Amino acid sequence: MEGLAARNMAALTVSNYPITVSSRRKMLKNELGFFFNVPRLQIVATICVPRAATGGGTDSCVAVPVKEDFADEEDYVKAGGSEISFVQMQKEKRMDLQSKLSDKLPRILASDGTLDLVVIGCGPAGLALAAASAKLGLKVGLIGPDLPFTNNYGVWEDEFKDLGLECCIEHVWRDTIVYLDDNDPIFIGRAYGRVSRHLLHEELLKRCAGSGVSYLSTKVERIVEASSGQRLVECEGNVVVPCRLVTVASGAASGKFLEYNVGGPRVSVQTAYGVEVEVEKSPYDPSLMVFMDYRDYTNHRVQSLESQYPTFLYAMAMSPTRIFFEETCLASKEAMPFDLLKKKLMSRLETMGVRIMQTYEEEWSYIPVGGSLPNTEQKNLAFGAAASMVHPATGYSVVRSLSEAPKYASVIASILEQDNIKNTKLGSKVVPENISMQAWNALWPMERKRQRAFFLFGLALILQLDTEGIRTFFDSFFRLPKWMSQGFLGSTLSSVDLVLFALYMFVIAPNDMRKRLINHLLSDPTGNIMVKTYLSL
């Protein structure tokens, strides 16, 4: 979200703006080991953004990637697809309170020699993994554009406390509420917090600085393997960074550096359009966080295009009159366009009698969900969204990435230490082997794959439900024992727990939902995949 007046928010499409063509130089390696440059043509679309959208004092232009810059069609969809102009605007918003990584971390230098680990990507997952790995004594380099955290993060307060990050929560609501229809609302009984993007960025950056992470602000072109078995991270500007292992944490659209299993489920998308505004009067109790409001705001008026997508309102009241509203499409096969989300949100607020006095910020949230797992036999590692760690049925990923970073770092450190011992014993003439497989197996053991297969089954069900079906589903979901519903949302239920979850849901669901569940299990491909995955040893 960004402070852009509603009258300036016409839908942006690449075709409305001039296309500029630039030549980027790509490095190849000849047989003697020297690097030379080959020009590669790259097409870049440019959109001009009003100054309020970027937080600056003047209008600015944002370069928007096009299909040719991605590994394949799916990679393009993960990056934003038809909504990529909005996604790029969101990424490049100004956040002046957040420090520049280049101001706080030492630069990666040629004199550093071979690094133990290079982490590509500077989001929460990348920073957390880099800091945790360096803390264990590894020589770690972080590479990626020096961009701030721009997305708003909402978390369950207890989960962030468990991570020791309660200091990064800027506002807490002692309870959360769900509206499914005009009947009584559901009180979840769990405190919810809004994360300060500034404080989280500074905390993770402080951890990186304190553990000795070095940094290079650039884009990675490709990753190649040297004859010695080392990885060579080739960046723009003819820079090559040698290392023993590479972990890609640059987001879901990482197909240029990673291989994903072929024939897996198609990627779906969760989109949300949000505004933080000053209102004349709040429609909600400001002491409660509105987790979902699925009520029909149209009063059964004539159906429109935006009504074909089931959406809910998410609302965080920072004060009685300052509120963050977000219209969210939980998942759809084709991304629900941001202009439709905005239209639906504004229509909903108007129907609720909400009068906006001032707009502080707008947000365009785009989260790919589902899709295939990475190939766990490849030598490049991954973490966060690049490793398909986003919860397929909810879109949650930040807490899981932050919680698993220390464990994954420990596995990487152990693998590199074992490799050191082996090389010492065998001497310098060592045949390179794929030590990455151990890390992949730790990140995606069979138990995790069973859990994900269950979540993909749930995602496929959600994609088939209309608004009434989703209301019925969540009416049953929020009547589950708290350990089940909370564990499902937080990815903490074991594969056995998830079977109990499914049985419990089936028992308390109404007959029409039971029929849907049985039919979905028997007819949808994800049902067959889930059963086979559970039966795998």
Side-chain angles (χ1 to χ4, degrees), residues 69-81:
D69 203 36
F70 297 95
D72 51 31
E73 177 70 23
E74 183 170 283
D75 204 42
Y76 176 65
V77 170
K78 288 180 179 180

Side-chain angles (χ1 to χ4, degrees), residues 447-455 491 493-495 498:
E447 171 65 8
R448 275 293 189 188
K449 291 179 180 179
R450 292 189 188 98
Q451 294 167 343
R452 190 171 191 271
F454 188 96
F455 294 147
S491 301
L493 295 182
S494 69
S495 57
L498 288 170

Side-chain angles (χ1 to χ4, degrees), residues 382-384 387 389 400 404 408 411 438-445 448:
F383 193 63
M389 291 171 65
R400 181 182 171 190
E404 291 199 18
Y408 196 43
V411 170
Q438 298 174 57
W440 276 117
N441 291 335
L443 189 66
W444 282 109
R448 275 293 189 188

